[in-house]
Amino acid sequence: MARLFQRIRGAAVTIPAFVPVIEDGDLLLAESAAIVEYIITVHGDGRLKLAPQHPDYAAYLYWFHFSNGNLQSAMLRNMTVQRIGLEPGHPVLAATCGRVERVLSLLEDRLGQVPYLAGGEFTAADVMSLFSLSTMRLFQPLDLSAYPHILAYLRRLGERPAYRRAMAKGDPGLVPKLD
């Protein structure tokens, strides 16, 4: 994007060139969670978002924010640490791998109880986590064979017609890692 500054509700916001951004009319908006929230609220009539009175609302909020707050940060840290070539057993490498395992174990436990992160239905919480569990593993391989519920979840999401359409439009030719 050529514009680095945009007025959003009267405040100047700096938008770095490396983050995901959308442009909607005069609005230029960055940050994946903000983008997803904006799209489902403004253009999706609230679809993929649970209402506060929904029994799974708290789970929806937790897993929606878990993606950027825990999952993606652990995966990104793992990718960075793996690439700097630390020796096996190095404390930083061990701590990073341990963090990834804990985060994946939380997901595995959750997906062993329910088909989707917020509960019984597909929501934006699933949208938020999918990149880290699939496409990000193309940049830093990560074996998920110890997590059968996560793998079944990835297959379910990958079979969704809307997911296939979105990938064909947004990343034509990219084959995400869903196994």
Side-chain angles (χ1 to χ4, degrees):
M1 290 278 150
R3 292 182 290 173
L4 294 180
F5 297 95
Q6 176 66 29
R7 306 255 335 127
I8 299 176
R9 294 197 180 123
V13 175
T14 301
I15 300 184
F18 56 85
V19 298
V21 296
I22 62 164
E23 198 168 358
D24 187 25
D26 291 335
L27 175 71
L28 183 65
L29 183 62
E31 296 300 338
S32 57
I35 291 167
V36 170
E37 183 75 20
Y38 177 84
I39 290 170
I40 61 179
T41 301
V42 174
H43 296 289
D45 297 322
R47 288 186 312 268
L48 302 183
K49 179 180 181 179
L50 299 182
Q53 59 272 27
H54 193 285
D56 292 327
Y57 179 68
Y60 165 75
L61 282 178
Y62 176 80
W63 291 105
F64 182 88
H65 292 285
F66 176 88
S67 173
N68 284 350
N70 287 286
L71 176 60
Q72 191 169 61
S73 62
M75 298 286 279
L76 184 58
R77 187 176 304 118
N78 181 56
M79 182 172 67
T80 303
V81 169
Q82 294 287 343
R83 290 181 177 193
I84 62 174
L86 297 175
E87 296 201 18
H90 190 284
V92 171
L93 182 59
T96 301
C97 290
R99 170 77 182 209
V100 169
E101 289 171 8
R102 285 190 300 278
V103 166
L104 292 175
S105 291
L106 284 172
L107 284 163
E108 179 71 7
D109 289 346
R110 177 65 176 166
L111 294 169
Q113 299 169 27
V114 293
Y116 299 104
L117 291 175
E121 60 188 278
F122 178 82
T123 67
D126 302 296
V127 172
M128 291 298 297
S129 291
L130 187 54
F131 172 81
S132 295
L133 293 171
S134 62
T135 307
M136 198 170 199
R137 290 189 303 127
L138 294 172
F139 305 111
Q140 177 60 48
L142 180 65
D143 180 11
L144 294 179
S145 62
Y147 305 98
H149 298 298
I150 293 174
L151 290 172
Y153 170 73
L154 289 174
R155 284 190 295 277
R156 273 193 307 281
L157 296 185
E159 292 169 358
R160 293 177 54 83
Y163 172 75
R164 291 177 182 218
R165 285 191 308 272
M167 290 303 294
K169 184 176 183 178
D171 279 315
L174 178 75
V175 180
K177 191 134 180 74
L178 297 171
D179 56 10

